[in-house]
Amino acid sequence: MATPSDTPVSGPGERIEDVDISGEMQGSFLEYAYSVIYSRALPDARDGLKPVQRRILYQMSEMGLRPDKGHVKSARVVGDVMGKLHPHGDASIYDAMVRLAQDFIQRVPLVDGHGNFGTLDDGPAAARYTEARLSAAALALTADLDEDVVDFVPNYDNSLQQPSVLPAAYPNLLVNGASGIAVGMATNMVPHNLIEVVAAARFLLDNPRATLEELMAFVPGPDLPTGGTIIGLAGIKDAYASGRGAFKTRARVSVEQISARKTGLVVTELPYLVGPEKVIEKIKDGVNAKKISGISDVTDLTDRKHGLRLVIGIKTGFSPDAVLEQLYKLTPLEESFNINNVALVNGGPRTLGLKELLQVYVDHRIQVVTRRSRFRLARRQERLHLVLGLLIAILDIDEVIQVIRTSDDADTARSRLMDVFELSELQAEYILELRLRRLTKFSRIELEKEQQQLEKEIAELEALLADPKKLRRLVSRELDDVAEQFGTPRRTLLTEARPSVATTGSSRTAAPVLEIADSPCVVYLSTTGRAIRVDSSEELAPARVRRRSKHDALLSAVTTTARSEIGAITNLGRLIRFTAVDLPSVPENSIQLAAGAKISDYLAIGNKKERVLGLVSLTSEQPIALGTRQGVVKRLAPGGYPARPDFEVIALKPGDEVVGIAQGSDSDDLVFVTSDAQLLHFGAASVRPQGPSAGGMAGINLGAKATVIYFGAVDPGADVVVATVSSSIATIAGADPGRAKVSALSEFPGKGRATGGVRAHSFLKGEDVLALAWAGAAPPLAVGADGSQRQLPESGAKRDASGTPLDNVIGSIGFSL
């Protein structure tokens, strides 16, 4: 830098001045800072737009890109905005336009984009590939610009005019929010629900002294475009009071059964400004670093038709709720948003609370409606002046024509008309330019009607401008119309904060929290093939549970723990090991078997001819009894089961299959019922337990063409009944409900194993077979094929009775809860 003592060296025509570099830098920096703050980064509190956004919407409006017109290339819009209003480069203009079109950024998008306008994870296509036009909501921001509602200022080269602010028919700054970084300050404003914000603005119009609490009754919190759940409202209230605050947003997640044996977390809404790829990346990093446990896989099933769907698979034995809490703590499924409500007010930046934001907008809207009303009043007064002149001319049209014809030129005609008919210069000029065909009798009637209408409108506008209350009511009505037209239901749920149960430690310490405890439970299998797990803090005896309520007929129940292995035995004589930890779990007091998992899918049984007959405990000391269609009985010795996932429990003869299974002690009775209505029951002790590879022994002697239709075990000391349903081989399945009866087992005399049994049902004419049979503790429960209950006759029928006709077809019989 030159010093005062230095002698400037200059050539001819040059001028060099000595300046202080610190002062020059300070002045230049202040000018730059002011330019960034006022002309780039911060939105105006009145219309909620930055200059580039305002110029884009105004220029698109000037180009006629309305919602009822076709889309045009985005590059064309960018070019017009850059050439006429915003000479700062096409990239900044296109980026701003893209943001106005993204429905995951804007609560009410202002640009209707066509093409790839990007996602939270990927940028948009180039401007030459996309198309755009204004949305309907943008028209509400630019409406009435031709009615002198706002001031216009020169563009960058003084060749064109542009609005300094838009009329803004709704509080856009609160509705769509804003973000920007200026010099020494920044803004970060969150979107809100249009209906709620308008309701608050209308309340403020009626109650200028409204408190923050009263306004928050209408605007309880932000409403994010991507939905989600806001937890903790204290930070929101701070922001509404002072303009600064913070809140946390959580993803909307549900626990679903994504397959028969697999539970998953399904994410349908993410926190604001968080994309699915970011979530997936953080989950993978956490799993690889062993900070997150219990997750098997993450799949992004998002598409345009169904929207966001992120499926997070949960490993077997882990609690989905505990894993979810861990994800909330360690991934972007829970994010913080810092509110900093900085906007321009009267040309300067201010930090505004909710009431201040609404007040600035309300004042702006009142001014807009006032200026619009004055403009309309002036236009109507001008038109009325001309109409009155026309009416004067029509009353003596012949003399008007004579005056014009006898005048030497237009100036003379104008002067003579003004003198003869006492017209103003404007009225006389209008008459001279008017076509003669307008000056007819019919036109006179129209003009008189127009005069009356104009006088009425002028009176209304004058009354409106003279009464501030009427003006405020008009603003309120217009706001209500906008909310009705563009408002949508709230997307974001507001809740109080919940403490996180996740741990940031290693998987060893996290496992006890995340994994499902090995607590006592009862696993139920219904006759319709659905299984559920009923957890309890103490061991439950099925007999105690089954008296609670009726939902579906039960085929089997096993008392176990969540992580203990149990077995499912199929009609093909196969035992399949599995744990109940991934079965749908329900509390004791709300058992709904219809919500259970389909057992064939849960066990991945691919053979359609194979079905599960019952469940057994693999840790019990009681033998497992099996009965086959050909009358074979076998008791499987407890313990010593093969360690394989599945194994054969009986060596079946060709054409034979298992029809029933039971697990009980030697004191139980084993019961066979055949298709020709024979019942045999004998002590289980008479059947010696065998190993898995044995083929069993004779259980019941069958008649010609007869087969076993039911096998089970009962406690002879309990109130045991036998239910039978008769039918005919010739009857089409489901066509005839048949006849049914319920008899006490004590009616049937016991016989030894390998005998023929006694008659259990008498057939009437047209009947020749038993369709169903069941023996167990009273009362039996009959259901249809869909699990809906069917009515059985009362117990007490004779063992060889023929039964009573049924109203509906019975699909299966079992015991009830």
Side-chain angles (χ1 to χ4, degrees):
M1 184 187 73
T3 63
S5 60
D6 293 334
T7 302
V9 179
S10 61
E14 293 182 352
R15 180 173 175 231
I16 299 176
E17 294 183 5
D18 293 332
V19 296
D20 182 67
I21 192 169
S22 61
E24 181 69 18
M25 290 295 293
Q26 183 177 10
S28 298
F29 181 78
L30 288 175
E31 290 181 9
Y32 167 75
Y34 179 80
S35 174
V36 171
I37 292 171
Y38 183 75
S39 301
R40 292 193 186 184
L42 298 184
D44 193 297
R46 295 170 291 178
D47 61 6
L49 298 172
K50 301 177 185 179
V52 64
Q53 296 171 329
R54 186 179 304 114
R55 291 163 181 167
I56 289 170
L57 297 181
Y58 173 68
Q59 188 59 39
M60 291 181 74
S61 176
E62 290 294 292
M63 294 169 67
L65 304 181
R66 301 171 57 86
D68 56 347
K69 304 294 183 180
H71 295 81
V72 303
K73 285 290 185 182
S74 300
R76 177 183 167 190
V77 176
V78 171
D80 274 23
V81 173
M82 181 172 60
K84 295 181 178 181
L85 304 176
H86 193 79
H88 294 292
D90 56 340
S92 62
I93 299 172
Y94 185 55
D95 288 346
M97 188 176 76
V98 166
R99 184 182 177 88
L100 293 175
Q102 291 175 331
D103 57 2
F104 50 85
I105 298 293
Q106 302 280 302
R107 186 62 179 81
V108 179
L110 302 178
V111 171
D112 178 12
H114 183 248
N116 179 15
F117 273 77
T119 67
L120 285 167
D121 297 312
D122 298 310
R128 61 184 179 274
Y129 298 121
T130 61
E131 299 176 340
R133 63 184 178 190
L134 289 176
S135 68
L139 295 183
L141 294 181
T142 59
D144 306 327
L145 274 173
D146 56 346
E147 294 186 295
D148 191 34
V149 291
V150 296
D151 293 332
F152 276 69
V153 296
N155 69 337
Y156 63 92
D157 62 356
N158 294 322
S159 63
L160 297 170
Q161 295 287 308
Q162 60 182 334
S164 60
V165 66
L166 295 185
Y170 58 86
N172 180 61
L173 185 57
L174 276 167
V175 171
N176 280 324
S179 64
I181 301 175
V183 178
M185 63 186 67
T187 185
N188 200 31
M189 304 183 66
V190 67
H192 290 78
N193 185 273
L194 174 62
I195 297 175
E196 296 173 356
V197 171
V198 165
R202 296 184 68 200
F203 183 80
L204 187 61
L205 278 166
D206 296 335
N207 304 273
R209 297 184 179 180
T211 65
L212 178 61
E213 288 71 19
E214 290 174 328
L215 294 176
M216 285 189 66
F218 299 96
V219 186
D223 187 23
L224 307 173
T226 52
T229 301
I230 291 178
I231 54 173
L233 306 181
I236 294 173
K237 187 171 183 179
D238 291 341
Y240 287 167
S242 65
R244 296 177 184 272
F247 63 88
K248 288 186 177 181
T249 311
R250 282 185 174 180
R252 191 75 63 92
V253 186
S254 61
V255 180
E256 297 183 13
Q257 203 71 26
I258 57 179
S259 67
R261 297 196 68 174
K262 192 172 185 179
T263 302
L265 301 173
V266 179
V267 182
T268 54
E269 296 175 2
L270 286 173
Y272 188 46
L273 304 180
V274 174
E277 290 186 11
K278 181 179 179 182
V279 174
I280 294 173
E281 181 182 359
K282 289 294 184 181
I283 291 176
K284 289 182 177 178
D285 291 344
V287 171
N288 293 334
K290 301 189 182 302
K291 293 182 178 179
I292 299 176
S293 56
I295 294 177
S296 60
D297 56 80
V298 183
T299 307
D300 188 2
L301 301 179
T302 303
D303 58 32
R304 293 183 179 179
K305 184 177 180 181
H306 301 96
L308 176 68
R309 186 174 176 84
L310 192 63
V311 181
I312 303 171
I314 304 299
K315 289 182 179 179
T316 299
F318 283 79
S319 168
D321 292 330
V323 173
L324 178 58
E325 288 293 334
Q326 182 184 219
L327 292 175
Y328 280 147
K329 190 168 185 178
L330 301 176
T331 72
L333 288 182
E334 178 178 297
E335 281 282 272
S336 295
F337 189 96
N338 295 314
I339 299 175
N340 188 22
N341 295 335
V342 178
L344 296 175
V345 180
N346 297 325
R350 281 181 55 190
T351 302
L352 306 171
L354 176 62
K355 184 176 180 179
E356 288 80 10
L357 285 167
L358 289 170
Q359 190 64 60
V360 170
Y361 171 77
V362 165
D363 293 343
H364 169 62
R365 193 60 193 170
I366 290 174
Q367 185 180 21
V368 166
V369 175
T370 300
R371 292 181 60 164
R372 185 187 66 193
S373 300
R374 288 174 180 167
F375 178 86
R376 290 177 179 178
L377 176 61
R379 297 290 84 77
R380 280 154 181 75
Q381 288 174 336
E382 292 174 2
R383 177 60 185 171
L384 178 62
H385 183 63
L386 296 177
V387 169
L388 292 175
L390 286 176
L391 286 172
I392 293 173
I394 288 176
L395 289 175
D396 201 351
I397 185 63
D398 294 334
E399 187 174 355
V400 169
I401 294 174
Q402 182 65 26
V403 168
I404 296 174
R405 291 184 61 186
T406 58
S407 300
D408 295 333
D409 51 37
D411 292 339
T412 305
R414 185 186 312 108
S415 299
R416 293 181 63 191
L417 286 174
M418 293 169 60
D419 294 337
V420 173
F421 298 101
E422 296 183 355
L423 300 175
S424 68
E425 182 177 355
L426 188 63
Q427 289 174 324
E429 182 67 29
Y430 188 70
I431 291 172
L432 286 173
E433 294 179 356
L434 196 67
R435 293 185 178 183
L436 289 178
R437 66 182 181 184
R438 289 287 309 275
L439 303 178
T440 63
K441 181 178 180 180
F442 183 73
S443 295
R444 177 182 175 182
I445 296 174
E446 290 180 343
L447 288 171
E448 288 176 345
K449 289 182 179 179
E450 185 179 358
Q451 177 190 358
Q452 295 174 1
Q453 181 65 28
L454 287 170
E455 289 174 345
K456 179 183 177 181
E457 293 177 359
I458 288 172
E460 291 175 350
L461 288 169
E462 288 177 340
L464 179 67
L465 290 170
D467 189 348
K469 291 184 178 179
K470 284 187 177 181
L471 193 67
R472 297 176 82 91
R473 283 198 295 269
L474 176 60
V475 174
S476 180
R477 286 198 304 271
E478 291 181 352
L479 280 170
D480 187 44
D481 293 340
V482 170
E484 184 176 352
Q485 183 178 1
F486 303 114
T488 55
R490 167 171 280 276
R491 299 176 186 173
T492 302
L493 178 66
L494 303 175
T495 63
E496 290 295 342
R498 295 176 296 169
S500 175
V501 300
T503 176
T504 57
S506 66
S507 59
R508 290 185 179 181
T509 59
V513 177
L514 299 178
E515 293 184 2
I516 297 174
D518 193 20
S519 57
C521 65
V522 178
V523 180
Y524 292 102
L525 177 65
S526 73
T527 57
T528 55
R530 292 193 172 273
I532 61 170
R533 186 182 86 242
V534 180
D535 295 324
S536 173
S537 58
E538 59 181 66
E539 283 199 31
L540 297 174
R544 178 169 72 84
V545 179
R546 75 175 66 132
R547 290 194 295 269
R548 195 172 292 124
S549 59
K550 293 182 179 181
H551 294 287
D552 196 356
L554 287 176
L555 184 63
S556 188
V558 175
T559 301
T560 180
T561 61
R563 293 183 173 276
S564 296
E565 279 195 331
I566 57 178
I569 298 180
T570 72
N571 61 317
L572 300 186
R574 187 164 68 112
L575 186 148
I576 304 172
R577 293 176 178 268
F578 72 98
T579 63
V581 69
D582 286 325
L583 279 174
S585 174
V586 296
E588 297 176 69
N589 58 357
S590 180
I591 300 175
Q592 293 286 345
L593 288 169
K598 195 172 181 181
I599 192 66
S600 58
D601 293 339
Y602 187 79
L603 300 178
I605 298 177
N607 187 350
K608 294 183 179 180
K609 295 182 179 180
E610 187 174 17
R611 63 184 186 279
V612 176
L613 300 177
L615 308 177
V616 295
S617 171
L618 299 181
T619 59
S620 174
E621 295 298 325
Q622 296 179 336
I624 301 169
L626 305 93
T628 74
R629 182 173 296 278
Q630 294 179 3
V632 175
V633 65
K634 176 181 179 179
R635 295 182 77 202
L636 186 64
Y641 302 123
R644 299 190 300 272
D646 63 295
F647 54 91
E648 302 296 329
V649 292
I650 184 173
L652 293 171
K653 296 179 180 179
D656 200 4
E657 66 174 346
V658 180
V659 295
I661 68 105
Q663 190 169 25
S665 65
D666 290 347
S667 62
D668 288 344
D669 270 5
L670 303 182
V671 182
F672 279 96
V673 182
T674 66
S675 59
D676 58 354
Q678 295 295 308
L679 183 148
L680 173 65
H681 67 95
F682 52 87
S686 64
V687 181
R688 177 176 53 84
Q690 298 175 308
S693 60
M697 58 188 71
I700 184 173
N701 288 337
L702 298 175
K705 298 183 180 180
T707 60
V708 175
I709 64 170
Y710 173 80
F711 171 81
V714 298
D715 180 1
D719 181 15
V720 179
V721 295
V722 177
T724 53
V725 179
S726 60
S727 184
S728 172
I729 296 176
T731 301
I732 299 175
D736 182 11
R739 304 171 70 88
K741 72 176 185 65
V742 180
S743 308
L745 184 63
S746 58
E747 290 281 326
F748 300 84
K751 290 192 175 184
R753 180 183 60 81
T755 60
V758 297
R759 178 164 293 280
H761 198 112
S762 293
F763 296 134
L764 296 182
K765 185 178 180 180
E767 299 176 340
D768 53 13
V769 68
L770 280 185
L772 289 171
W774 178 85
L781 179 60
V783 296
D786 60 351
S788 57
Q789 292 190 20
R790 298 285 188 262
Q791 190 66 38
L792 280 172
E794 293 292 332
S795 178
K798 294 183 179 180
R799 68 174 179 83
D800 57 351
S802 58
T804 58
L806 293 171
D807 296 328
N808 302 100
V809 176
I810 294 176
S812 57
I813 304 174
F815 64 87
S816 62
L817 287 174

